[in-house]
Amino acid sequence: MAEMMPKELEGVLHGLTPEEKLLLKRCFIRYAGQPMEEEAPVRLLEGRLSGAECRIAVLGLRQKGWLEAVVKSWGERLLFIPGKRLPELYKLLLGEQQKVPAESRRPEMLLEAGEGTEARLLHVLAWIARYGLPLTSKGTIHKRALVKLNELSLFKDSALQGLGLQYAHSEVYPLSSAVLLDLLLSLGLLVKETSAYTVHTPALFSWIKLPQAQMSRWILLTVMERYGRTQPAAQHLRGLLCMTAPRTGEWMAVDSLLKWLEQVGAADNLDLREEADQWLTVLAEFGLADKGVTEAGSLCIRWRVPVSEMMQPDFSLAEQEQGVFPERSGFYIQPDFEIIVPPECGFEDRWLLECCAEQISAGRMSLYRLSRESITGAVESGMELQDLEAFLAGHSFTGVPDNVVHAVRQWAGGTARTAFAAVTLLRCRSREDADAAAMHPRLGGVLERLGELDFIVPPGEEEEVRKELASLGLTPRKGMEGSGSTVPSFPLPPLEALGLPFVLEDAAFYAEGRPGLVYTGRTLHFYDKDAEVPSPESFFPGRSSVPSSWFSQLRPYHPSTARQIMEQAVEWQTAVMLRSGDEDTVWLPEAVSGGADWQVTGRFRSPEGTDPQSITVLKPCDWKEMRLLLPIPLS
């Protein structure tokens, strides 16, 4: 396989040396975005580059942002290609082959992408916001809540089983519910607290401002990171399926892509056909792509989202420029109290519908229904009647039928006209103690007496009351008697903020390493970033004592001096130029052995595009002149 990048793509790697380009490509094919040991690049290029050339190339790639490094607690360094660079490298790799053609004949549909994934996800969040997900002392969801969560799950165990996912509390949670929880946690929409999983309100309010395509992008990136196998070959498959995608809605054959991955040495002994089959099932399950098969048995994919654009960092900006946002978001209210929600309805409107209506079905077209229970529930959650009426009237394309208006007013009219208030109650042990507290000059205007022994303490005055009671010798017991349970509150965004543009910096829905339930096998975020890049000169210790003639010119040497040069090359892991007659060759020495009749083991550098040459043994009589080949000039 040719090692040089196509000329039209050289601009992407502008500023890289030939050694850096070669090393980057080899590391990418072998490891994708997975971590590698610090010595891995040297092993990958045995017979092609010297160890010193590899190390200098690694330094250059780190300085130019193509490689990053982390350090484990015991000092071991790991290298990796950062995820933001992978799309560029896939473009380069794909530039060396013909573009994967779209499938001209319509394949047989095996699995159709699930519709309304984002809306169904919002429905799960609304249910959690309303009823909560309380946890047991073991940190697992209470059985009754888990049963309901299982019913709400968007996914099927059978579709996810082949991924081999491992996750916390697998003895309690079905796979589908675990992935649902993990997805919500990874997107930052759900947080785990001491006693319950709760909706993260700030992230939710930013989430519902997103257009559906942007939601799909965050879901896609999370699925790619968390639910695919960590083997580099599997990562290549996932990345190339995205980067080779034709226009949205066109079928693409997958088998030719699998063959090409094998040809470039990126298969890594993985059964790519089985891996592709399983991954297409997952993409269909998340509503991202359809899975099909041709008459000849070739797997096919049809993306439902503009996936190659979604992989780019500036996707959201491009999306807004293309006018993705609808001019007006809304729905249709029917006289029978049903609400028809078209695909272009914004998610702020959908969230308020989740508050005041019951979801009947979710898909490309969703269906809700207004009822006495849903309206009273909305008022209980804090929606005032006038706000509820304004929302329904302002977003229904066909207005609100009179019978619906009358019913909503009737249902809401008798709700929340009284309320229970949580107050702090001060209880005295005796009538004498209560009278003393009531007559205290600095407490008389603060405490509100109830009966003989009890007082209401205004919010925020507890510490001041405690101080004054202590001065009377009536210091309250530490802690609070009795206990109560908090009722989940449905989070409602400020109505005046509805429709305002979303600012991307307000929330991060994709953060690698965010804690979830699934064990991803990715550990880089646990380690400290290695920001200290060593100097190139540090790879050549003792350089000041080495004669400059050894690396400045080709010349003959006495066998004893030639041995010293070879030993220095082995120590520095650098190459040696050898001249025999009119021919110059590059020698990569690995070890010097023997006494007066010494020899050196190594290999000749392989010509461009050929396999590494085999190990060879040379003696001083096998060449006439020599010099050290250094990847950098030494002062």
Side-chain angles (χ1 to χ4, degrees):
M1 179 180 63
E3 299 293 354
M4 296 302 293
M5 300 293 181
K7 290 182 179 180
E8 63 271 19
L9 298 171
E10 282 287 322
V12 178
L13 300 181
H14 177 71
L16 298 190
T17 67
E19 292 79 14
E20 289 169 350
K21 293 174 184 177
L22 175 59
L23 185 141
L24 178 61
K25 181 179 177 182
R26 285 294 185 89
C27 289
F28 172 62
I29 289 176
R30 176 63 185 83
Y31 291 99
Q34 302 301 319
M36 67 191 95
E37 297 174 355
E38 190 175 13
E39 292 299 313
V42 177
R43 292 194 295 268
L44 281 177
L45 289 165
E46 281 182 338
R48 302 303 310 277
L49 297 179
S50 68
E53 288 173 315
C54 285
R55 289 181 175 83
I56 295 298
V58 166
L59 291 186
L61 291 171
R62 288 185 62 187
Q63 291 168 339
K64 296 163 187 174
W66 288 96
L67 281 179
E68 292 183 6
V70 294
V71 179
K72 295 185 177 181
S73 57
W74 53 91
E76 181 185 355
R77 183 179 287 107
L78 295 175
L79 303 170
F80 65 97
I81 299 172
K84 63 185 178 182
R85 291 293 199 178
L86 294 177
E88 298 172 90
L89 290 173
Y90 281 120
K91 285 183 179 179
L92 289 170
L93 202 60
L94 287 167
E96 299 181 0
Q97 63 121 29
Q98 296 295 319
K99 184 174 177 64
V100 178
E103 179 61 41
S104 57
R105 291 169 298 181
R106 185 177 181 84
E108 176 189 351
M109 179 78 76
L110 293 180
L111 283 175
E112 190 170 7
E115 295 280 6
T117 300
E118 296 78 13
R120 292 167 64 201
L121 206 61
L122 199 72
H123 180 60
V124 174
L125 282 169
W127 183 85
I128 295 173
R130 181 172 284 110
Y131 300 106
L133 281 179
L135 298 175
T136 67
S137 58
K138 295 182 179 180
T140 58
I141 299 171
H142 277 274
K143 186 174 182 180
R144 182 177 297 179
L146 181 59
V147 169
K148 182 61 178 179
L149 185 69
N150 295 341
E151 294 175 1
L152 292 173
S153 180
L154 288 62
F155 314 118
K156 300 183 292 293
D157 283 358
S158 57
L160 304 172
Q161 205 69 51
L163 292 173
L165 296 178
Q166 296 182 330
Y167 56 93
H169 308 299
S170 56
E171 73 285 357
V172 177
Y173 299 151
L175 178 58
S176 55
S177 295
V179 169
L180 174 61
L181 279 173
D182 185 81
L183 179 62
L184 292 173
L185 290 166
S186 300
L187 291 170
L189 298 172
L190 203 65
V191 292
K192 185 178 183 180
E193 298 180 346
T194 304
S195 59
Y197 283 110
T198 60
V199 174
H200 187 213
T201 303
L204 169 71
F205 290 168
S206 293
W207 178 260
I208 60 179
K209 284 182 175 293
L210 291 173
Q212 183 172 348
Q214 185 67 67
M215 287 183 174
S216 298
R217 179 187 183 231
W218 296 125
I219 292 172
L220 169 69
L221 293 177
T222 303
V223 169
M224 292 273 287
E225 179 209 343
R226 300 190 62 80
Y227 309 131
R229 298 185 196 276
T230 56
Q231 287 97 325
Q235 186 175 3
H236 282 315
L237 172 63
R238 298 193 297 273
L240 288 172
L241 281 173
C242 295
M243 300 308 297
T244 57
R247 288 181 301 178
T248 305
E250 288 186 1
W251 285 101
M252 182 185 79
V254 175
D255 283 10
S256 58
L257 186 63
L258 305 185
K259 292 176 183 176
W260 183 72
L261 280 171
E262 293 176 351
Q263 291 171 2
V264 299
D268 197 26
N269 298 321
L270 188 70
D271 187 334
L272 290 176
R273 168 70 188 222
E274 181 179 341
E275 184 69 21
D277 185 62
Q278 177 59 46
W279 189 245
L280 295 188
T281 300
V282 171
L283 293 176
E285 192 71 0
F286 280 88
L288 297 167
D290 299 320
K291 174 183 175 181
V293 63
T294 65
E295 291 183 1
S298 175
L299 285 173
C300 293
I301 183 173
R302 180 172 64 182
W303 286 97
R304 292 291 190 92
V305 295
V307 61
S308 58
E309 290 86 352
M310 285 180 170
M311 298 298 289
Q312 305 304 320
D314 59 348
F315 170 73
S316 59
L317 299 176
E319 184 184 44
Q320 293 183 39
E321 290 170 0
Q322 293 167 12
V324 172
F325 299 102
E327 293 184 6
R328 184 188 174 198
S329 171
F331 39 77
Y332 303 88
I333 301 179
Q334 306 298 301
D336 62 358
F337 297 92
E338 287 191 346
I339 301 176
I340 301 172
V341 182
E344 60 273 13
C345 180
F347 284 81
E348 285 182 296
D349 291 348
R350 291 174 187 264
W351 182 253
L352 292 179
L353 284 176
E354 288 286 351
C355 178
C356 67
E358 301 168 355
Q359 188 185 81
I360 306 303
S361 63
R364 183 167 177 80
M365 296 285 288
S366 297
L367 191 65
Y368 288 79
R369 178 182 293 123
L370 295 169
S371 66
R372 180 186 297 274
E373 291 76 15
S374 69
I375 294 299
T376 56
V379 176
E380 289 280 4
S381 296
M383 283 190 85
E384 300 290 343
L385 175 58
Q386 61 268 28
D387 292 334
L388 177 57
E389 287 191 37
F391 166 65
L392 295 175
H395 292 80
S396 175
F397 292 128
T398 51
V400 185
D402 291 341
N403 66 308
V404 175
V405 172
H406 177 75
V408 168
R409 289 175 178 173
Q410 184 179 32
W411 292 334
T415 304
R417 300 183 68 170
T418 59
F420 290 102
V423 298
T424 300
L425 183 70
L426 172 66
R427 173 157 292 166
C428 299
R429 188 170 53 186
S430 65
R431 172 72 179 267
E432 181 182 355
D433 291 343
D435 290 342
M439 290 186 293
H440 191 287
R442 286 190 293 276
L443 291 178
V446 175
L447 299 177
E448 179 183 347
R449 192 162 186 171
L450 300 173
E452 292 188 356
L453 304 179
D454 300 330
F455 297 85
I456 291 178
V457 181
E461 299 288 343
E462 292 86 355
E463 287 306 313
E464 186 63 27
V465 171
R466 178 182 291 275
K467 178 181 175 182
E468 297 301 335
L469 289 174
S471 69
L472 293 175
L474 300 174
T475 304
R477 181 183 290 118
K478 291 182 179 180
M480 188 77 70
E481 293 183 353
S483 62
S485 59
T486 59
V487 178
S489 176
F490 196 96
L492 291 171
L495 295 183
E496 62 272 15
L498 294 182
L500 294 180
F502 169 71
V503 180
L504 187 61
E505 290 76 16
D506 287 349
F509 299 112
Y510 173 68
E512 187 173 357
R514 182 176 279 157
L517 252 68
V518 172
Y519 305 132
T520 65
R522 306 178 194 280
T523 57
L524 289 172
H525 57 280
F526 291 128
Y527 306 129
D528 295 328
K529 186 173 182 179
D530 183 18
E532 184 178 347
V533 181
S535 67
E537 291 79 12
S538 64
F539 294 128
F540 307 99
R543 59 189 181 277
S544 60
S545 61
V546 175
S548 61
S549 60
W550 287 10
F551 48 79
S552 61
Q553 59 183 328
L554 273 164
R555 53 171 290 186
Y557 290 95
H558 186 274
S560 61
T561 306
R563 176 173 184 150
Q564 288 180 292
I565 295 174
M566 282 295 183
E567 289 175 338
Q568 188 66 66
V570 171
E571 180 185 343
W572 284 350
Q573 296 187 31
T574 190
V576 179
M577 176 74 76
L578 300 178
R579 174 172 291 175
S580 178
D582 294 331
E583 184 180 1
D584 293 342
T585 56
V586 178
W587 175 254
L588 303 174
E590 296 181 8
V592 177
S593 60
D597 188 21
W598 63 274
Q599 59 185 20
V600 58
T601 304
R603 64 181 90 199
F604 290 103
R605 174 170 286 171
S606 305
E608 192 72 34
T610 63
D611 293 331
Q613 296 197 21
S614 58
I615 295 290
T616 306
V617 176
L618 295 182
K619 293 186 177 182
C621 61
D622 293 324
W623 68 89
K624 293 181 179 180
E625 296 178 330
M626 64 188 301
R627 75 176 178 93
L628 289 174
L629 285 178
L630 301 180
I632 60 168
L634 292 184
S635 56

